[in-house]
Amino acid sequence: MSCEQDAETGHALGCFRDRLKRLIRVEPLLDLLHFLEPDRKDRIKAKFREEGDISAAAFLIDEIIHSKNYEQGWSRELITALETVGCKHAAKYVLNSPPEPTEEAENDSCVRLIDLLQLTLVSMKTADVCAHCRALGLLTPEDQENIMKLTENQGNIGGARLLLKRLVKNEAGWFSKFLQALEDTEHHDLVRELRGEPCNEDEAMSVETVEEGEQTCLETMPVLPPVLSANSSLLSEDLDSSVDSGGLCTSADNEEVDMYKEVEEEEEEDLTEDDDPSEESKSNIVLRDYQMEVARPALEEKNIIICLPTGSGKTRVAVYITKEHLERKKQTGQPGKVVVLVNKVPLVEQHYKAEFGRFLKHQYSVERVSGASQLKISFPQIIEQNDIIICTAQILENSLAKAKNGDEDGIKLSQFTLMVIDECHHTKKGGVYNHIMIRYLKQKHQNQLLKKQEKSPVPLPQILGLTASPGVGGAMSQQMAEEHILQVISTLPSGIASSASVLFCKSTDPFGDVIKKIMDKIHKHADLKLLCEPGTQNYEQWVVQKEQNAAKEENQMVRVCAEHLRQYNEALHQSNTIRMSDAFRFLDKYHNEELKTKSSPDEEGTITITDTERFLFTLFKDNKAKLQELMGKPQYENNSLAQLKTNILKEFSTREMARGIIFPQTRLSAIALCQWIQENPKFDEVGVRASYLIGGGDQSVVKPMTAAEQKDVLNKFRDGQINLLIATTVAEEGLDIAECNFVIRYCLVTNEIAMIQARGRGRAEDSSYTLVAEAGSGVAERESVNEYREKMMSTAIAKVCKMNRADYEKKTREFQMQAIMEEKVKIKKKQRKGMMKEPPSKISLSCRQCSVSVCSGEDIEKIENMHHVNVTKQFSKLFTVRENASLQERLLDYETNGVIACKNCGQQWGSMMLYKSIECPCLHIKNFVVTYSSKKKTFSKWSELPIKFPAFDYTQHADLLVEDSGEEDMETD
């Protein structure tokens, strides 16, 4: 019997080798395998030390499979050993009892998710989570001991990484226990992240655009029962008669819908900015069959979400629904008013010129309002005077908030009869779309109470949502995907058949090696123990943490070294994705600017240069010539760039009319790639005309693009002056990009929504979608996860279609009530947080670089509830004013004139602001260490500090300035 079992075990090891090598923990297992000879154990241990667990496990399996000399019964010893060291999942495979395929797939998804979110998860309180995981049986006592030892020696992050590595080797079911451990240790944000739920962080409400690559959720969109076909009887006849009167419509047929065939002429029409369409187009909007099918529920005054692929005419459907809605209202003698909400400023003008204004302004009054428009001041008047208003969601939310506060300039939802929400998958908790929909849901449920009291309900607008991809919200199982897609009703129509490929690139990197040697010398100088590979995101996180800790500990040597290491790490990333010359220029610019801050100011006083700073400047200077030499050798350029070049040349050489988009990772990459293409004659020979398109936010070190600059680039791309666009994620969704026949994602992968949006940019019939990635970067693996989640999304949509109506209504009502309650709790927490704010005397500020004492919190005042200034005479003696090299920006009735920096070390502290003709030094909290309740802390935003600062007293300060000026005049006389 033992012989048969040994043979079966050997066969199972061979069949499941690839999976087992990821589940087996070699080091503790070897101690229990007495059938292995000592020399073989030594070889396996050496493999473990040199190449890690996976390679050593594969080597162990091969040794067992190919050896015939083991004593009978070795298989029982192996299985017992696996179970003893906590590898029960591996033991089941060895016993040839693997889990069911669905269970295995779900477990694999959980493992991939842990890998993807590792950078977030390592912020956990490792000791607490480890103890709870041990109590839940997820870790052995030896595991716990090793994790705690590593945490003590290498810090919290190192211990967290080992904990995660151990967890994923457990048998299926470990994930829910891990979530329980996180819940028990109050890591609620991490639990929400793992469950694919949005975080409840307070987000700034003043931003006009949604951040690039933002995760989304559709929980709060009002929904209808499932729509199975055009004649479905499941649709509610009365908007208010059902508990939840909304839905999501896609093409109901499973057969392919060729929505791109013979539409070239129409697409060209869509993208023009002609404000004077023909009489025929003015009077007629002709929809295709699939468009009419998804529009039908909305024409019956139902709340729906239309889900159609990019380029299939969602906006045209919305225009048609708007026209029919206003005509119906007019025929019945009722007032009609439509608001179209967008999440990006450029979309306001685009929707006006290409769609709503073009087809409807001859019959109805259409106006557009955004943060870039002067009309935002008179928004209530614009609402009153026009039939159709296209605006950014933030403009509407601001006015709704005013109405709630009793402001006469506020407006109410009841003033609209139809609300169109573009890119509605951005209905994210904490986002502006979410705030608007929470107001809607609250009023909807209040209306139900009013009806019970036989009172007239407050009228609410019909809701029409538009999206190309609702996503699965980070779901790890089909059930979670179905919950996320609960508002999606029918099967997505088949899109255009596009080819997709992944290209791996790896090369020698002497340029990067020089940078790594520089970094090694800095590590030794600062006595920093390296925990991860330079050039990675993990290293970035590690070095930022080191800088923050050093600033709080007033360890200036480590702090300055960490800041320089961060720049070198960025340069490594650049040399792996763009040219070596771009990486060198980045470093050279940084060091030149740092040297400028150390030069003596014009006024009295000298700036101290420490020995560490002198060491760092000299180190770069000594290696500068070598870096310049290497960047001039094209054979050392990264293979990703070479592969990108090959792809671009292939597309433009084999296509008669090539037009494409490249999506890089950062703005800096987009600009550098564009310069590289423009400077390379090979691209010019095949007719490449390139330009870049980046976002308008100012969070990056790169100067942002204005709305006018974005518009100019898009117009040139549409009319053919530009045929290759290098764009950040600003172009992935929403913006009406002309028809493309190839899309390349360059070393960039985010989530399944972004993947679908980017791929959807390839609208021509023979379009291609390519991912260019560096080997070992993990980009291809994340793309694979996205493809899996896309399939999960389609399956979930189909299953939701078959849901029982009662179950559907119960589920959606739960979601709505949950959203309302969460919003109430959030508001109460925010109010309590405001009430708990302490006086400014509780804090003091010191320079982040040299630790010199700067000021007390009592010296700080706030201008317009936003800018923190210190106008005391004592403070003015501590800083010098330098030229502001960044973009000069005029803000209301004040402007920034220069940069204020520490007189002692040159560290930037903030900016000099001219407010109503008074110069006010404005402090940026990120440049200081804050002593708060006897503890030193660092903050990135003033809002993180629970201190209530007084408003700036303009009159008092102006009087003081006048008195000082008078005294100076008397002394002069």
mmCIF file of all heavy atoms in Angstrom, residues 459-481:
data_model
loop_
_atom_site.group_PDB
_atom_site.id
_atom_site.type_symbol
_atom_site.label_atom_id
_atom_site.label_comp_id
_atom_site.label_asym_id
_atom_site.label_seq_id
_atom_site.Cartn_x
_atom_site.Cartn_y
_atom_site.Cartn_z
ATOM 1 N N PRO A 459 -40.632 67.077 -6.120
ATOM 2 C CA PRO A 459 -40.276 66.482 -7.421
ATOM 3 C C PRO A 459 -38.768 66.271 -7.535
ATOM 4 O O PRO A 459 -37.971 67.078 -7.081
ATOM 5 C CB PRO A 459 -40.774 67.525 -8.432
ATOM 6 C CG PRO A 459 -40.896 68.799 -7.666
ATOM 7 C CD PRO A 459 -41.221 68.416 -6.265
ATOM 8 N N LEU A 460 -38.402 65.154 -8.145
ATOM 9 C CA LEU A 460 -36.990 64.827 -8.366
ATOM 10 C C LEU A 460 -36.751 64.547 -9.848
ATOM 11 O O LEU A 460 -37.648 64.068 -10.551
ATOM 12 C CB LEU A 460 -36.584 63.594 -7.554
ATOM 13 C CG LEU A 460 -36.391 63.799 -6.043
ATOM 14 C CD1 LEU A 460 -36.184 62.452 -5.357
ATOM 15 C CD2 LEU A 460 -35.215 64.714 -5.766
ATOM 16 N N PRO A 461 -35.544 64.824 -10.328
ATOM 17 C CA PRO A 461 -35.273 64.606 -11.757
ATOM 18 C C PRO A 461 -35.122 63.125 -12.086
ATOM 19 O O PRO A 461 -34.756 62.311 -11.235
ATOM 20 C CB PRO A 461 -33.947 65.338 -11.971
ATOM 21 C CG PRO A 461 -33.277 65.302 -10.644
ATOM 22 C CD PRO A 461 -34.379 65.420 -9.632
ATOM 23 N N GLN A 462 -35.406 62.783 -13.332
ATOM 24 C CA GLN A 462 -35.090 61.463 -13.854
ATOM 25 C C GLN A 462 -33.567 61.369 -13.976
ATOM 26 O O GLN A 462 -32.894 62.343 -14.282
ATOM 27 C CB GLN A 462 -35.743 61.293 -15.226
ATOM 28 C CG GLN A 462 -35.422 59.973 -15.913
ATOM 29 C CD GLN A 462 -35.971 59.927 -17.332
ATOM 30 O OE1 GLN A 462 -36.777 60.785 -17.726
ATOM 31 N NE2 GLN A 462 -35.528 58.961 -18.111
ATOM 32 N N ILE A 463 -32.996 60.181 -13.703
ATOM 33 C CA ILE A 463 -31.545 60.001 -13.737
ATOM 34 C C ILE A 463 -31.142 59.180 -14.958
ATOM 35 O O ILE A 463 -31.711 58.113 -15.214
ATOM 36 C CB ILE A 463 -31.038 59.300 -12.462
ATOM 37 C CG1 ILE A 463 -31.431 60.094 -11.222
ATOM 38 C CG2 ILE A 463 -29.525 59.087 -12.518
ATOM 39 C CD1 ILE A 463 -30.771 61.451 -11.114
ATOM 40 N N LEU A 464 -30.148 59.668 -15.693
ATOM 41 C CA LEU A 464 -29.586 58.937 -16.830
ATOM 42 C C LEU A 464 -28.068 58.889 -16.661
ATOM 43 O O LEU A 464 -27.390 59.923 -16.746
ATOM 44 C CB LEU A 464 -29.946 59.637 -18.149
ATOM 45 C CG LEU A 464 -29.285 59.077 -19.414
ATOM 46 C CD1 LEU A 464 -29.698 57.618 -19.637
ATOM 47 C CD2 LEU A 464 -29.640 59.924 -20.633
ATOM 48 N N GLY A 465 -27.520 57.703 -16.367
ATOM 49 C CA GLY A 465 -26.075 57.544 -16.209
ATOM 50 C C GLY A 465 -25.449 56.983 -17.465
ATOM 51 O O GLY A 465 -26.054 56.166 -18.161
ATOM 52 N N LEU A 466 -24.225 57.404 -17.765
ATOM 53 C CA LEU A 466 -23.496 56.930 -18.943
ATOM 54 C C LEU A 466 -22.138 56.384 -18.518
ATOM 55 O O LEU A 466 -21.414 57.044 -17.765
ATOM 56 C CB LEU A 466 -23.279 58.065 -19.946
ATOM 57 C CG LEU A 466 -24.503 58.880 -20.386
ATOM 58 C CD1 LEU A 466 -24.061 60.030 -21.288
ATOM 59 C CD2 LEU A 466 -25.524 58.009 -21.100
ATOM 60 N N THR A 467 -21.783 55.188 -18.983
ATOM 61 C CA THR A 467 -20.456 54.643 -18.698
ATOM 62 C C THR A 467 -20.084 53.601 -19.745
ATOM 63 O O THR A 467 -20.953 52.956 -20.330
ATOM 64 C CB THR A 467 -20.398 53.995 -17.297
ATOM 65 O OG1 THR A 467 -19.074 53.531 -17.050
ATOM 66 C CG2 THR A 467 -21.356 52.831 -17.162
ATOM 67 N N ALA A 468 -18.778 53.456 -19.966
ATOM 68 C CA ALA A 468 -18.290 52.416 -20.863
ATOM 69 C C ALA A 468 -17.931 51.160 -20.087
ATOM 70 O O ALA A 468 -17.932 50.058 -20.638
ATOM 71 C CB ALA A 468 -17.062 52.910 -21.636
ATOM 72 N N SER A 469 -17.626 51.319 -18.803
ATOM 73 C CA SER A 469 -17.224 50.170 -18.002
ATOM 74 C C SER A 469 -17.482 50.429 -16.529
ATOM 75 O O SER A 469 -16.793 51.246 -15.924
ATOM 76 C CB SER A 469 -15.737 49.878 -18.213
ATOM 77 O OG SER A 469 -15.293 48.918 -17.288
ATOM 78 N N PRO A 470 -18.448 49.748 -15.930
ATOM 79 C CA PRO A 470 -18.678 49.921 -14.495
ATOM 80 C C PRO A 470 -17.626 49.246 -13.644
ATOM 81 O O PRO A 470 -17.496 49.532 -12.468
ATOM 82 C CB PRO A 470 -20.052 49.281 -14.285
ATOM 83 C CG PRO A 470 -20.168 48.285 -15.382
ATOM 84 C CD PRO A 470 -19.447 48.858 -16.557
ATOM 85 N N GLY A 471 -16.844 48.315 -14.210
ATOM 86 C CA GLY A 471 -15.806 47.626 -13.450
ATOM 87 C C GLY A 471 -16.411 46.623 -12.490
ATOM 88 O O GLY A 471 -17.600 46.330 -12.519
ATOM 89 N N VAL A 472 -15.557 46.067 -11.618
ATOM 90 C CA VAL A 472 -16.031 45.127 -10.604
ATOM 91 C C VAL A 472 -15.648 45.583 -9.209
ATOM 92 O O VAL A 472 -15.794 44.855 -8.233
ATOM 93 C CB VAL A 472 -15.489 43.694 -10.860
ATOM 94 C CG1 VAL A 472 -16.046 43.136 -12.135
ATOM 95 C CG2 VAL A 472 -13.966 43.680 -10.859
ATOM 96 N N GLY A 473 -15.118 46.805 -9.090
ATOM 97 C CA GLY A 473 -14.833 47.374 -7.786
ATOM 98 C C GLY A 473 -13.819 46.600 -6.971
ATOM 99 O O GLY A 473 -13.898 46.540 -5.756
ATOM 100 N N GLY A 474 -12.852 45.987 -7.634
ATOM 101 C CA GLY A 474 -11.827 45.243 -6.899
ATOM 102 C C GLY A 474 -12.327 43.900 -6.394
ATOM 103 O O GLY A 474 -11.733 43.315 -5.491
ATOM 104 N N ALA A 475 -13.407 43.370 -6.994
ATOM 105 C CA ALA A 475 -13.976 42.107 -6.533
ATOM 106 C C ALA A 475 -12.982 40.961 -6.691
ATOM 107 O O ALA A 475 -12.232 40.909 -7.661
ATOM 108 C CB ALA A 475 -15.254 41.798 -7.317
ATOM 109 N N MET A 476 -13.021 40.033 -5.726
ATOM 110 C CA MET A 476 -12.143 38.872 -5.787
ATOM 111 C C MET A 476 -12.927 37.592 -6.050
ATOM 112 O O MET A 476 -12.350 36.521 -6.182
ATOM 113 C CB MET A 476 -11.374 38.737 -4.469
ATOM 114 C CG MET A 476 -10.468 39.900 -4.197
ATOM 115 S SD MET A 476 -10.286 40.204 -2.438
ATOM 116 C CE MET A 476 -11.955 40.647 -1.972
ATOM 117 N N SER A 477 -14.227 37.684 -6.088
ATOM 118 C CA SER A 477 -15.057 36.518 -6.361
ATOM 119 C C SER A 477 -16.219 36.938 -7.243
ATOM 120 O O SER A 477 -16.535 38.123 -7.357
ATOM 121 C CB SER A 477 -15.602 35.934 -5.052
ATOM 122 O OG SER A 477 -16.501 36.849 -4.444
ATOM 123 N N GLN A 478 -16.849 35.938 -7.860
ATOM 124 C CA GLN A 478 -17.960 36.227 -8.741
ATOM 125 C C GLN A 478 -19.115 36.873 -7.986
ATOM 126 O O GLN A 478 -19.784 37.778 -8.482
ATOM 127 C CB GLN A 478 -18.431 34.931 -9.413
ATOM 128 C CG GLN A 478 -19.329 35.165 -10.617
ATOM 129 C CD GLN A 478 -18.633 35.917 -11.728
ATOM 130 O OE1 GLN A 478 -17.559 35.545 -12.149
ATOM 131 N NE2 GLN A 478 -19.219 36.995 -12.174
ATOM 132 N N GLN A 479 -19.337 36.427 -6.745
ATOM 133 C CA GLN A 479 -20.431 36.983 -5.955
ATOM 134 C C GLN A 479 -20.220 38.470 -5.682
ATOM 135 O O GLN A 479 -21.140 39.274 -5.783
ATOM 136 C CB GLN A 479 -20.554 36.225 -4.633
ATOM 137 C CG GLN A 479 -21.727 36.703 -3.783
ATOM 138 C CD GLN A 479 -21.834 35.928 -2.478
ATOM 139 O OE1 GLN A 479 -21.092 34.971 -2.258
ATOM 140 N NE2 GLN A 479 -22.744 36.339 -1.615
ATOM 141 N N MET A 480 -18.968 38.831 -5.348
ATOM 142 C CA MET A 480 -18.667 40.239 -5.095
ATOM 143 C C MET A 480 -18.821 41.061 -6.371
ATOM 144 O O MET A 480 -19.276 42.202 -6.346
ATOM 145 C CB MET A 480 -17.245 40.373 -4.546
ATOM 146 C CG MET A 480 -17.076 39.819 -3.143
ATOM 147 S SD MET A 480 -15.360 39.852 -2.591
ATOM 148 C CE MET A 480 -15.103 41.630 -2.482
ATOM 149 N N ALA A 481 -18.444 40.463 -7.502
ATOM 150 C CA ALA A 481 -18.594 41.161 -8.777
ATOM 151 C C ALA A 481 -20.066 41.394 -9.078
ATOM 152 O O ALA A 481 -20.460 42.458 -9.556
ATOM 153 C CB ALA A 481 -17.946 40.352 -9.902
#
